[in-house]
């Protein structure tokens, strides 16, 4: 089993910065890459603030925090990832964009490097087909926010080797994660179950069964969920929820996975949830719309 000394993380958003934080706190050198310099600036600030919160709660020493931050390097050049033992991408949830990135990574990364995707639904086998190292491609599905959520879902593609799996499982445990393992089926484990529930909550709202408040309160108090499904959808991002539902619908071919028209309408209107200030609920002043990061 290979020792992981350097990790590359692609994508400076909330997921990418959280994954980078996990790695540097675990004593691993990190290259954090994003094509947007502002995203890297914001990610560095977010990581620093998050680490300091752990220090203030007594969960991390000041010395270890300083050491962690020294391990973080930012870049906009894929060439800087040549030294990485594992490269984790956390970019926009688009198969075409991811496959294009994987083709570039296959050319740039060292021969022994493992390529991992934080995708929540896209086939690892199909992503691996864009490379000449399909045995070294795997899914590492983190949950938001990565420094807090304990779960990590590992997804093996059709050709993922045992050596790749064992290296990534050891890395996840080094991050302090509890690991669950899924075969490469649409939605994997968590989203295969969660997203249809969220979609059904949208149908319940769409057909006038109840108000959004009563739907969420019912699920929180009736099933002991910490967040209601509509509130959770806003937190995840309605565009992400819609993307996963479309993957399930196409991949499994069952009408029960048909995205609710209300969910589609909200996404078409730009009501993407907390990140846009409005989704099912409204969250104050709306930020300016931004295009998804494309590398």
């Amino acid at each position: 089993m290979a020792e992981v000394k350097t990790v590359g993380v692609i994508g400076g958003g909330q997921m990418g910065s959280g994954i980078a934080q996990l790695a540097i706190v675990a004593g691993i050198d990190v290259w954090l890459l994003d094509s947007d310099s502002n995203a890297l600036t914001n990610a560095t600030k977010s990581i620093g603030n998050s680490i300091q919160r752990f220090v203030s709660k007594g969960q991390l020493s000041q010395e270890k925090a300083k050491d962690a931050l020294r391990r973080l390097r930012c870049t906009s050049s894929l060439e800087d990832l040549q030294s990485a033992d594992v490269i984790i991408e956390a970019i926009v949830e688009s198969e075409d964009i991811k496959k294009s990135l994987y083709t570039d990574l296959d050319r740039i990364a060292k021969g022994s490097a493992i390529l991992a995707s934080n995708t929540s639904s896209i086939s690892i086998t199909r992503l691996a087909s864009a490379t000449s190292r399909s045995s070294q491609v795997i899914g590492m599905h983190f949950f938001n926010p990565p420094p807090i959520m304990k779960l990590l879902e590992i997804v093996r593609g059709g050709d993922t080797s045992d050596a790749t799996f064992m290296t990534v499982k050891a890395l996840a445990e080094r991050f302090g994660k509890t690991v669950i393992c899924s075969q490469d089926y649409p939605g994997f484990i968590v989203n295969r179950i969660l997203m249809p529930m969220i979609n059904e909550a949208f149908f319940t709202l769409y057909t006038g069964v109840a108000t959004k408040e009563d739907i969420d309160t019912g699920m929180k108090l009736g099933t002991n969920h910490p967040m209601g499904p509509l509130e959770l959808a806003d937190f995840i991002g309605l565009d992400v929820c819609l993307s996963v539902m479309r993957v399930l619908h196409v991949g499994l071919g069952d009408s029960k996975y048909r995205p609710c028209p209300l969910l589609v309408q909200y996404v078409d209107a730009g009501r993407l949830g907390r990140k846009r200030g409005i989704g099912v609920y409204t969250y104050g002043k709306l930020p300016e719309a931004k295009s998804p990061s494309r590398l």
Side-chain angles (χ1 to χ4, degrees):
M1 184 171 60
E3 181 183 3
V4 177
K5 297 180 179 178
T6 303
V7 167
V9 179
I10 303 177
Q14 189 169 11
M15 294 304 295
S17 61
I19 295 167
Q21 179 181 326
L22 285 169
I24 59 175
V25 170
I28 299 169
D29 293 333
V30 170
W31 279 103
L32 177 60
L33 183 148
D34 199 289
S35 58
D36 184 347
S37 59
N38 288 330
L40 291 175
T41 299
N42 291 336
T44 301
K45 182 178 179 181
S46 174
I47 291 169
N49 290 340
S50 178
I51 286 177
Q52 283 305 311
R53 284 195 292 272
F54 281 97
V55 172
S56 66
K57 293 177 181 178
Q59 298 173 336
L60 192 68
S61 70
Q62 190 66 57
E63 181 179 356
K64 189 169 183 179
K66 289 180 180 179
D67 178 66
L69 291 172
R70 283 194 292 266
R71 294 182 179 277
L72 178 65
R73 290 169 289 180
C74 295
T75 183
S76 293
S77 173
L78 281 176
E79 304 292 335
D80 284 329
L81 303 186
Q82 290 178 339
S83 63
D85 302 303
V86 176
I87 300 173
I88 305 169
E89 62 83 6
I91 64 169
V92 62
E93 191 76 346
S94 162
E95 183 172 333
D96 289 341
I97 294 173
K98 287 182 186 290
K99 288 176 80 170
S100 177
L101 172 63
Y102 274 69
T103 299
D104 291 338
L105 288 175
D106 191 41
R107 173 177 53 85
I108 291 165
K110 63 184 181 181
S112 61
I114 292 170
L115 308 181
S117 178
N118 182 53
T119 180
S120 58
S121 62
I122 297 171
S123 168
I124 302 301
T125 303
R126 292 202 302 270
L127 294 181
S129 72
T131 78
S132 62
R133 60 177 85 196
S134 58
S135 66
Q136 295 162 232
V137 179
I138 196 166
M140 293 182 74
H141 181 206
F142 293 82
F143 292 81
N144 189 24
I148 302 296
M149 298 294 282
K150 294 295 185 183
L151 186 67
L152 191 141
E153 191 174 37
I154 293 180
V155 184
R156 297 184 67 155
D159 293 328
T160 303
S161 69
D162 289 342
T164 295
F165 171 75
M166 293 304 297
T167 297
V168 167
K169 184 173 184 290
L171 179 63
E173 290 169 348
R174 192 171 170 185
F175 289 166
K177 300 303 181 187
T178 297
V179 172
I180 59 173
C181 303
S182 174
Q183 296 302 313
D184 193 17
Y185 289 96
F188 314 138
I189 299 171
V190 175
N191 281 334
R192 174 76 174 265
I193 299 167
L194 173 64
M195 289 302 168
M197 183 191 75
I198 287 176
N199 195 52
E200 193 62 30
F202 271 93
F203 270 114
T204 305
L205 180 63
Y206 179 58
T207 56
V209 173
T211 65
K212 57 183 180 289
E213 293 85 1
D214 282 354
I215 292 167
D216 279 346
T217 298
M219 293 304 291
K220 284 189 287 187
L221 300 185
T223 63
N224 203 29
H225 289 192
M227 299 173 72
L230 299 174
E231 182 185 7
L232 179 57
D234 273 355
F235 182 76
I236 294 169
L238 301 194
D239 53 333
V240 176
C241 295
L242 178 58
S243 174
V244 175
M245 285 307 303
R246 283 173 168 160
V247 168
L248 290 172
H249 192 210
V250 172
L252 297 172
D254 193 317
S255 61
K256 72 180 181 179
Y257 298 112
R258 177 176 66 93
C260 176
L262 183 61
L263 174 60
V264 176
Q265 184 182 69
Y266 278 10
V267 172
D268 286 345
R271 297 177 61 153
L272 306 184
R274 284 182 176 272
K275 61 188 173 186
R276 284 297 310 279
I278 187 170
V280 180
Y281 297 92
T282 301
Y283 301 92
K285 185 179 179 181
L286 303 184
E288 294 182 6
K290 294 183 179 180
S291 300
S293 174
R294 293 173 181 260
L295 300 172

